[in-house]
Short mmCIF file of all heavy atoms in Angstrom, two decimals:
data_model
loop_
_atom_site.label_atom_id
_atom_site.label_comp_id
_atom_site.label_asym_id
_atom_site.label_seq_id
_atom_site.Cartn_x
_atom_site.Cartn_y
_atom_site.Cartn_z
N LEU G 268 99.34 69.36 108.98
CA LEU G 268 98.42 70.25 109.56
C LEU G 268 98.33 71.54 108.88
O LEU G 268 99.40 71.99 108.42
CB LEU G 268 98.75 70.47 111.12
CG LEU G 268 98.83 69.22 112.01
CD1 LEU G 268 99.22 69.58 113.42
CD2 LEU G 268 97.46 68.44 111.95
N THR G 269 97.16 72.12 108.82
CA THR G 269 96.98 73.45 108.09
C THR G 269 95.74 74.18 108.74
O THR G 269 95.23 73.67 109.76
CB THR G 269 96.80 73.16 106.60
OG1 THR G 269 96.74 74.37 105.94
CG2 THR G 269 95.51 72.48 106.19
N HIS G 270 95.33 75.25 108.06
CA HIS G 270 94.17 76.00 108.46
C HIS G 270 94.34 76.54 109.96
O HIS G 270 93.54 76.23 110.73
CB HIS G 270 92.93 75.07 108.40
CG HIS G 270 91.64 75.84 108.45
ND1 HIS G 270 90.96 76.02 109.64
CD2 HIS G 270 90.79 76.26 107.49
CE1 HIS G 270 89.84 76.73 109.41
NE2 HIS G 270 89.69 76.75 108.16
N PHE G 271 95.33 77.24 110.16
CA PHE G 271 95.73 77.89 111.43
C PHE G 271 94.99 79.19 111.63
O PHE G 271 95.00 79.94 110.66
CB PHE G 271 97.19 77.94 111.64
CG PHE G 271 98.04 76.91 111.08
CD1 PHE G 271 98.94 76.87 110.17
CD2 PHE G 271 97.78 75.57 111.75
CE1 PHE G 271 99.69 75.84 109.77
CE2 PHE G 271 98.56 74.52 111.34
CZ PHE G 271 99.55 74.47 110.31
N SER G 272 94.45 79.36 112.88
CA SER G 272 93.83 80.63 113.10
C SER G 272 94.75 81.75 112.82
O SER G 272 95.94 81.66 112.95
CB SER G 272 93.50 80.68 114.62
OG SER G 272 93.24 81.95 115.14
N SER G 273 94.27 82.91 112.27
CA SER G 273 94.96 84.02 111.96
C SER G 273 95.79 84.66 113.11
O SER G 273 96.68 85.44 112.87
CB SER G 273 94.26 85.00 111.16
OG SER G 273 93.14 85.50 112.01
N ARG G 274 95.41 84.23 114.19
CA ARG G 274 96.20 84.74 115.49
C ARG G 274 97.54 84.16 115.51
O ARG G 274 98.45 84.81 116.18
CB ARG G 274 95.40 84.41 116.80
CG ARG G 274 95.57 82.93 117.32
CD ARG G 274 94.58 82.68 118.44
NE ARG G 274 93.20 82.62 117.81
CZ ARG G 274 92.04 82.83 118.45
NH1 ARG G 274 92.15 82.99 119.77
NH2 ARG G 274 90.90 82.72 117.90
N TYR G 275 97.76 82.99 114.86
CA TYR G 275 99.14 82.41 114.96
C TYR G 275 100.06 83.03 113.94
O TYR G 275 99.73 83.17 112.76
CB TYR G 275 99.13 80.87 114.69
CG TYR G 275 98.28 80.14 115.83
CD1 TYR G 275 97.00 79.87 115.72
CD2 TYR G 275 99.03 79.80 116.99
CE1 TYR G 275 96.37 79.18 116.83
CE2 TYR G 275 98.37 79.22 118.12
CZ TYR G 275 97.02 78.90 118.01
OH TYR G 275 96.33 78.36 119.06
N GLN G 276 101.21 83.44 114.42
CA GLN G 276 102.21 84.02 113.60
C GLN G 276 103.48 83.22 113.36
O GLN G 276 103.59 82.21 114.09
CB GLN G 276 102.71 85.31 114.30
CG GLN G 276 101.55 86.37 114.72
CD GLN G 276 100.88 87.06 113.51
OE1 GLN G 276 101.49 87.33 112.56
NE2 GLN G 276 99.64 87.21 113.70
N PHE G 277 104.19 83.47 112.37
CA PHE G 277 105.46 82.73 112.19
C PHE G 277 106.51 83.15 113.21
O PHE G 277 107.31 82.36 113.70
CB PHE G 277 106.08 82.82 110.82
CG PHE G 277 105.26 82.19 109.76
CD1 PHE G 277 104.52 82.74 108.70
CD2 PHE G 277 105.31 80.72 109.85
CE1 PHE G 277 103.81 81.92 107.78
CE2 PHE G 277 104.54 79.98 108.94
CZ PHE G 277 103.83 80.59 107.90
N GLN G 278 106.49 84.46 113.57
CA GLN G 278 107.53 84.95 114.42
C GLN G 278 106.94 85.41 115.75
O GLN G 278 105.88 85.88 115.85
CB GLN G 278 108.21 86.15 113.74
CG GLN G 278 109.00 85.69 112.48
CD GLN G 278 109.83 86.81 111.86
OE1 GLN G 278 109.58 87.91 112.12
NE2 GLN G 278 110.77 86.31 111.13
N ALA G 279 107.80 85.11 116.76
CA ALA G 279 107.36 85.43 118.15
C ALA G 279 107.25 86.92 118.27
O ALA G 279 107.85 87.68 117.49
CB ALA G 279 108.38 84.91 119.13
N GLY G 280 106.53 87.40 119.28
CA GLY G 280 106.44 88.81 119.53
C GLY G 280 104.96 89.43 119.54
O GLY G 280 104.71 90.31 120.25
N ARG G 281 104.14 88.95 118.60
CA ARG G 281 102.83 89.45 118.43
C ARG G 281 101.77 88.46 118.60
O ARG G 281 101.04 88.25 117.75
CB ARG G 281 102.68 90.28 117.12
CG ARG G 281 103.71 91.47 117.03
CD ARG G 281 103.46 92.18 115.73
NE ARG G 281 103.42 91.22 114.58
CZ ARG G 281 102.77 91.50 113.41
NH1 ARG G 281 102.06 92.51 113.21
NH2 ARG G 281 102.83 90.61 112.42
N GLY G 282 101.71 87.73 119.70
CA GLY G 282 100.66 86.71 119.89
C GLY G 282 101.30 85.38 119.75
O GLY G 282 102.47 85.12 119.60
N PRO G 283 100.43 84.31 119.65
CA PRO G 283 100.86 82.91 119.68
C PRO G 283 101.65 82.64 118.30
O PRO G 283 101.31 83.24 117.33
CB PRO G 283 99.68 82.12 119.83
CG PRO G 283 98.54 82.94 119.41
CD PRO G 283 98.91 84.38 119.75
N VAL G 284 102.54 81.69 118.29
CA VAL G 284 103.27 81.27 117.13
C VAL G 284 102.91 79.87 116.63
O VAL G 284 102.40 79.10 117.45
CB VAL G 284 104.80 81.40 117.31
CG1 VAL G 284 105.20 82.90 117.56
CG2 VAL G 284 105.26 80.61 118.47
N ILE G 285 103.08 79.70 115.40
CA ILE G 285 102.77 78.40 114.78
C ILE G 285 103.57 77.25 115.40
O ILE G 285 103.04 76.20 115.48
CB ILE G 285 102.91 78.48 113.14
CG1 ILE G 285 101.77 79.40 112.73
CG2 ILE G 285 103.01 77.13 112.60
CD1 ILE G 285 101.76 79.52 111.18
N ASP G 286 104.80 77.54 115.90
CA ASP G 286 105.62 76.56 116.54
C ASP G 286 104.81 75.91 117.74
O ASP G 286 104.99 74.73 118.08
CB ASP G 286 106.88 77.17 117.00
CG ASP G 286 107.88 77.29 115.88
OD1 ASP G 286 107.66 76.82 114.82
OD2 ASP G 286 108.93 77.85 116.07
N GLU G 287 103.90 76.71 118.39
CA GLU G 287 103.14 76.19 119.45
C GLU G 287 102.23 74.98 118.94
O GLU G 287 102.04 73.99 119.72
CB GLU G 287 102.35 77.23 120.13
CG GLU G 287 103.19 78.27 120.85
CD GLU G 287 102.26 79.36 121.33
OE1 GLU G 287 101.06 79.15 121.83
OE2 GLU G 287 102.72 80.49 121.36
N LEU G 288 101.75 75.06 117.76
CA LEU G 288 100.79 74.01 117.22
C LEU G 288 101.64 72.84 116.96
O LEU G 288 101.28 71.62 117.17
CB LEU G 288 100.23 74.50 115.94
CG LEU G 288 99.20 75.65 116.09
CD1 LEU G 288 99.05 76.46 114.84
CD2 LEU G 288 97.77 75.03 116.49
N ALA G 289 102.95 73.08 116.37
CA ALA G 289 103.88 71.94 116.05
C ALA G 289 104.30 71.26 117.30
O ALA G 289 104.28 70.00 117.38
CB ALA G 289 105.07 72.43 115.32
#
Side-chain angles (χ1 to χ4, degrees):
Chain G
L268 299 180
T269 184
H270 194 272
F271 313 122
S272 159
S273 58
R274 78 193 72 200
Y275 292 97
Q276 308 287 326
F277 283 115
Q278 296 189 339
R281 298 184 306 156
V284 293
I285 284 183
D286 282 350
E287 293 175 36
L288 294 154

